Amino acid sequence: MNLVRSLLRIIAAAGLAVDAYVHADLAGQFDGNGTHLTQGTLFRLQAALAALATLWILLRGRRPSAAFALLISVSALGAVLLYRYVDVGALGPLPNMYEPIWYTEKVVTAVAEGVAALASAALLVLSPSSARPGTHSRRHHAGLATRTQ
């Protein structure tokens, strides 16, 4: 089971690392003028969060890091799919990011996000809970022992 979890951690981290790289690489192309939040800034934020998730899942590989990796990868994949197929328009400070085409970097990042999401979800399911096994039963038995004395 540890081998499977290790492989899932590496796969999730690889997908997140690709996502971070592509977003960081493309950010400059999406900088705009004015004081509003630009798509370039959002790309840099996504790159930073994906990089953080990459490191965390590699270093820890527990449920919280898997949950964070899942959140980052699913939200990024959801955004790329939404803005590919739906012209949402500007939402408050968010720019209109509608882009009804597929190009290499977009496909690569969408696949990487999907792979990271699947691996993170599997890792989340296969990771033991944060409580140590048997902790409850030892406390329970210790309490019974004190009451019976």
Side-chain angles (χ1 to χ4, degrees):
M1 185 61 84
N2 284 337
L3 177 62
V4 172
R5 288 183 53 235
S6 293
L7 286 173
L8 289 171
R9 287 171 61 188
I10 291 168
I11 292 168
L16 288 161
V18 168
D19 180 44
Y21 173 79
V22 171
H23 277 91
D25 187 52
L26 293 177
Q29 297 176 24
F30 291 99
D31 283 331
N33 300 337
T35 59
H36 293 294
L37 190 59
T38 68
Q39 191 170 345
T41 302
L42 293 173
F43 272 36
R44 286 181 189 89
L45 178 61
Q46 173 60 28
L49 291 171
L52 176 64
T54 300
L55 292 174
W56 193 12
I57 204 159
L58 280 176
L59 295 174
R60 296 297 296 166
R62 306 241 192 264
R63 291 178 68 83
S65 62
F68 183 68
L70 180 63
L71 174 70
I72 296 304
S73 56
V74 166
S75 64
L77 180 59
V80 76
L81 292 174
L82 174 68
Y83 286 110
R84 164 55 181 90
Y85 294 107
V86 180
D87 187 357
V88 177
L91 294 172
L94 298 177
N96 183 2
M97 295 186 287
Y98 179 61
E99 193 176 45
I101 59 168
W102 285 106
Y103 50 89
T104 304
E105 292 90 348
K106 187 186 272 192
V107 171
V108 166
T109 195
V111 170
E113 291 158 355
V115 166
L118 291 173
S120 300
L123 187 59
L124 190 61
V125 169
L126 294 177
S127 291
S129 66
S130 58
R132 290 187 309 246
T135 303
H136 173 73
S137 61
R138 281 193 296 251
R139 285 186 196 149
H140 179 73
H141 291 302
L144 287 177
T146 357
R147 281 185 252 156
T148 56
Q149 292 178 353

